[in-house]
Amino acid sequence: MKHFDIMTLGVPILEFTRMELDKPFSQAGLFYGPVPAGDPGIAMNACVRLGYTGTYVGATGEDAFADCFFAQMEASGIDVAYLRRDSSHDTALSMLTQFSDGSRDFVFTVPHSAAATLCEDDVCEELLKNVSWIHLSGFALSISESSARAHHKVLALAPQETRISFDPNFRPQVIDRDTYLRRAMPLLERCDCFLPSRGEAALFARPGESEEAVCQRLSYNKAVALKDGSNGSYVFHRGEQRHLSGYRVEEVDSTGAGDTYDGAFIAALMDGKDLWSAGEYATEARAVAVTRRGLMDIAPTREDIAAMMSRGR
């Protein structure tokens, strides 16, 4: 069986984004899309764009949106041998509108889509023995019980030496907090790399514990980076904390920027960089991504990241 540097259990989804800020879904307006999306896939795609091989485990419908998603996988060079088409369900869709205060609103069809049919049978034990890194997402395990069981099967069967990253990516539009935590805690405990966004680390806090304290506690046995949007990120190692400030760029679209950060952080660690350097590299990758409209199709190259580093903050 072919070896892959990275795999993910994904949420194959096509996204439509409002072209104007501050337009709630209750108002008519123009959308940009469809754009192949889904946070774990965006992260893996960013890693593949930086020179690594990847394979996608998931399910789409048998429709034009699926064709669009598969076309992006081909363009990105991502293996689709484990990306299943399901003729009885539609491909997942999402609608996104963004506001000038930085907040966002989503509408998802995911819980009733092909993506939600991901199950234990989709997880190939032999594949798990032939990947170096597995990237998992809290959103992906949120969309159905069967998807959660697929994630837990990965945890049970992945070799101990296989590195696992976990982005909590909590979406209250599709799951309540208690159910989410029940499904997510095994991933947090097993992962080697924890990649929350601001606000998400607090989900795992003990009474009276700040987000930074959560990250410091976890950093004694795993790599931890707390993403903070345009403010950059915080990287933690054995209780030590460093702030890596963001780059001053003109943001065109920040959607998927945190996932691009994940993919670049993973690639940097696979390159052999230390945690601080990986955080810097990922911060630069995010800065490139937000200057472009798109998701997987605009993932930065090594040359793009080097150019951002050269221009400075």
Side-chain angles (χ1 to χ4, degrees):
M1 175 176 282
K2 183 179 178 180
H3 179 273
F4 296 98
D5 297 313
I6 185 170
M7 64 162 277
T8 193
L9 269 64
V11 187
I13 189 169
L14 278 295
E15 188 160 280
F16 293 84
T17 304
R18 285 282 202 194
M19 296 186 68
E20 301 171 85
L21 288 174
D22 302 316
K23 279 281 188 179
F25 290 126
S26 58
Q27 299 178 11
L30 298 176
F31 287 84
Y32 173 80
V35 177
D39 61 290
I42 296 170
M44 182 178 69
N45 177 82
C47 187
V48 169
R49 181 76 162 163
L50 294 171
Y52 289 96
T53 59
T55 188
Y56 200 118
V57 179
T60 71
E62 189 73 75
D63 50 36
F65 290 124
D67 294 341
C68 181
F69 195 89
F70 272 84
Q72 180 62 61
M73 295 297 97
E74 181 178 2
S76 296
I78 294 172
D79 180 85
V80 295
Y82 303 93
L83 185 54
R84 170 172 54 84
R85 287 183 182 254
D86 181 346
S87 61
S88 61
H89 291 81
D90 295 328
T91 299
L93 303 177
S94 69
M95 311 289 283
L96 167 64
T97 187
Q98 303 179 78
F99 299 91
S100 53
D101 65 359
S103 62
R104 302 184 294 173
D105 191 15
F106 289 92
V107 173
F108 296 107
T109 68
V110 182
H112 309 290
S113 72
T117 69
L118 182 71
C119 64
E120 292 172 286
D121 289 345
D122 292 309
V123 177
C124 172
E125 183 173 2
E126 192 63 27
L127 172 62
L128 296 178
K129 297 175 182 178
N130 284 279
V131 295
S132 300
W133 195 295
I134 301 170
H135 182 64
L136 301 177
S137 153
F139 180 51
L141 66 80
S142 296
I143 59 176
S144 67
E145 284 284 357
S146 66
S147 182
R149 289 193 295 270
H151 282 73
H152 295 157
K153 180 178 178 179
V154 168
L155 300 184
L157 298 180
Q160 195 59 40
E161 64 271 17
T162 302
R163 302 176 79 180
I164 295 178
S165 50
F166 172 47
D167 184 332
N169 207 355
F170 175 58
R171 290 283 180 261
Q173 296 91 344
V174 298
I175 195 169
D176 65 88
R177 185 177 184 275
D178 289 344
T179 303
Y180 171 84
L181 288 174
R182 174 175 57 81
R183 295 179 184 177
M185 284 304 297
L187 276 70
L188 179 66
E189 292 166 0
R190 167 61 178 86
C191 74
D192 305 280
C193 183
F194 181 49
L195 297 166
S197 294
R198 174 65 72 182
E200 291 176 336
L203 292 164
F204 305 96
R206 295 169 179 172
E209 197 174 38
S210 68
E211 275 202 293
E212 285 75 7
V214 174
C215 293
Q216 288 172 348
R217 168 169 54 84
L218 294 172
S219 72
Y220 284 93
N221 60 15
K222 58 185 88 255
V224 179
L226 176 63
K227 296 168 288 182
D228 199 15
S230 60
N231 294 321
S233 64
Y234 297 82
V235 176
F236 301 81
H237 177 58
R238 300 192 64 79
E240 183 181 351
Q241 171 183 329
R242 292 188 190 177
H243 177 222
L244 306 172
S245 60
Y247 283 73
R248 292 182 180 178
V249 296
E250 182 178 351
E251 291 200 5
V252 174
D253 187 358
S254 63
T255 308
D259 306 313
T260 299
Y261 181 106
D262 291 355
F265 192 85
I266 293 165
L269 292 179
M270 288 200 286
D271 286 348
K273 291 181 170 65
D274 61 38
L275 289 183
W276 318 120
S277 299
E280 186 65 56
Y281 194 73
T283 300
E284 293 157 0
R286 180 204 179 276
V288 174
V290 300
T291 65
R292 304 167 174 176
R293 184 178 296 279
L295 290 172
M296 297 185 187
D297 55 325
I298 55 85
T301 63
R302 291 186 181 271
E303 292 74 21
D304 293 330
I305 296 173
M308 180 61 67
M309 179 179 64
S310 297
R311 57 152 279 183
R313 288 179 165 81

